[in-house]
């Protein structure tokens, strides 16, 4: 089974709708991240969380919110989806400690289309 | 702030050719970590290598090799005897500490290996 899972894998929604993307991990990592990928722009960090009580904005957090429900779960919400939020969204985890604390492990991605 | 540049947007080679993907980074820190990830057409992100700034030894893993040169702030990736399965988007990334929050990706290079 995959260590980092994302649901749904694909979603089409309409402008103005609220949508939640979920991420779960079985790696036991403290740190979790949400990125979005747009063609030609690589990955941009939306939010990251160092533990359940520590959530931080990334470089493109406007229009998004997150919730860290447990060490293993980190969800991303679009309160009112807009078409330019159409992208591929990745969840990632990292140990946050030790010599390789920053090594990130990615989920399979969620393809979101906002019409 | 840190930055990663991958000047080659797309590269096409014929199978069995060698190909080098360039990565140039900017950082003010003396301690940092460099990564390469592969994103095949299926969309997932696959970790390839992590290198810290104090280790300038080149690394070889099968047909893959990496050339890290601090003098030119480059961390280039070479695939020897390329294969069709190497076709993917390759991302270079930089972390300014080993805690994971300052993790920046380059825009990616799309490699197409033609039979």
């Amino acid at each position: 089974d995959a260590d980092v899972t994302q649901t749904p894998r694909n979603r089409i929604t309409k402008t103005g709708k609220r949508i939640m993307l979920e991420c779960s991990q079985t790696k036991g990592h403290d740190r979790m991240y949400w990125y979005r990928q747009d063609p030609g722009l690589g990955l941009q960090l939306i939010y990251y969380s160092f533990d359940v009580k520590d959530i931080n904005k990334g470089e493109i957090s406007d229009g998004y919110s997150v919730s860290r429900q447990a060490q293993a779960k980190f969800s991303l919400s679009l309160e009112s989806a807009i078409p330019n939020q159409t992208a591929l969204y990745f969840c990632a985890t990292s140990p946050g400690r030790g010599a390789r604390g920053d090594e990130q492990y990615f989920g399979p991605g969620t393809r979101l289309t906002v019409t | 702030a840190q930055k990663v540049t991958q000047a080659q947007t797309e590269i096409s080679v014929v199978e069995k050719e060698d190909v080098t993907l360039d990565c140039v980074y900017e950082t003010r820190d003396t301690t940092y970590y460099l990564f390469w990830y592969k994103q095949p057409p299926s969309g997932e992100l696959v970790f390839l290598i992590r290198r810290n700034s104090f280790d300038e030894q080149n690394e070889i893993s099968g047909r893959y090799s990496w050339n890290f040169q601090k003098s030119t702030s480059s961390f280039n990736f070479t695939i020897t005897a390329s294969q069709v399965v190497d076709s993917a988007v390759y991302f270079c990334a930089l972390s300014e500490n080993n805690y994971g929050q300052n993790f920046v990706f380059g825009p990616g290079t799309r490699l197409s290996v033609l039979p």
Side-chain angles (χ1 to χ4, degrees), chain B residues 42-99:
Chain B
S42 50
E44 74 273 22
L45 281 159
V46 179
F47 168 82
L48 295 178
I49 191 172
R50 176 184 188 271
R51 173 54 50 87
N52 76 56
S53 55
F54 297 108
D55 182 2
E56 288 194 72
Q57 278 194 335
N58 291 333
E59 180 153 344
I60 298 175
S61 176
R63 295 184 297 107
Y64 295 172
S65 62
W66 290 269
N67 184 302
F68 176 31
Q69 295 203 346
K70 288 179 78 170
S71 60
T72 56
S73 297
S74 64
F75 187 44
N76 296 338
F77 173 32
T78 297
I79 302 175
T80 302
S82 60
Q83 299 176 1
V84 173
V85 294
D86 296 326
S87 296
V89 180
Y90 291 86
F91 292 98
C92 181
L94 166 70
S95 173
E96 285 187 332
N97 57 56
N98 68 338
Y99 303 119

Side-chain angles (χ1 to χ4, degrees), chain A residues 25 30 32 49 51-52 67-74:
Chain A
Q25 54 118 344
D30 288 330
M32 298 185 74
S49 169
D51 64 35
V52 175
S67 173
R68 185 82 182 266
Q69 301 96 323
Q71 188 206 35
K73 296 184 182 297
F74 192 37

Side-chain angles (χ1 to χ4, degrees), chain A residues 31 33 35 37 40-43 45 48 50 88 90 94 96 98-108, chain B residues 33 35 37 39 42-45 47 49-50 89 91 95 97-108:
Chain A
R31 303 193 174 200
Y33 310 81
Y35 292 90
Q37 182 181 19
L41 293 180
L43 278 75
L45 183 62
Y48 60 98
F50 285 172
L88 183 58
F90 284 100
S94 68
R100 305 178 77 89
D102 58 342
E103 198 163 300
Q104 297 199 6
Y105 299 83
F106 287 83
Chain B
Y33 304 83
F35 301 77
Y37 285 85
Q39 186 177 39
S42 50
E44 74 273 22
L45 281 159
F47 168 82
I49 191 172
R50 176 184 188 271
V89 180
F91 292 98
S95 173
N97 57 56
N98 68 338
Y99 303 119
Q101 71 269 31
N102 293 327
F103 205 97
V104 174
F105 283 82

Side-chain angles (χ1 to χ4, degrees), chain A residues 7 9 36 49 57-58 74 84-86 90 105 113 115:
Chain A
T7 56
R9 294 293 312 279
R36 66 175 277 174
S49 169
K57 292 182 178 181
F74 192 37
N84 76 1
Q85 291 178 312
T86 293
F90 284 100
Y105 299 83
T113 303
T115 60

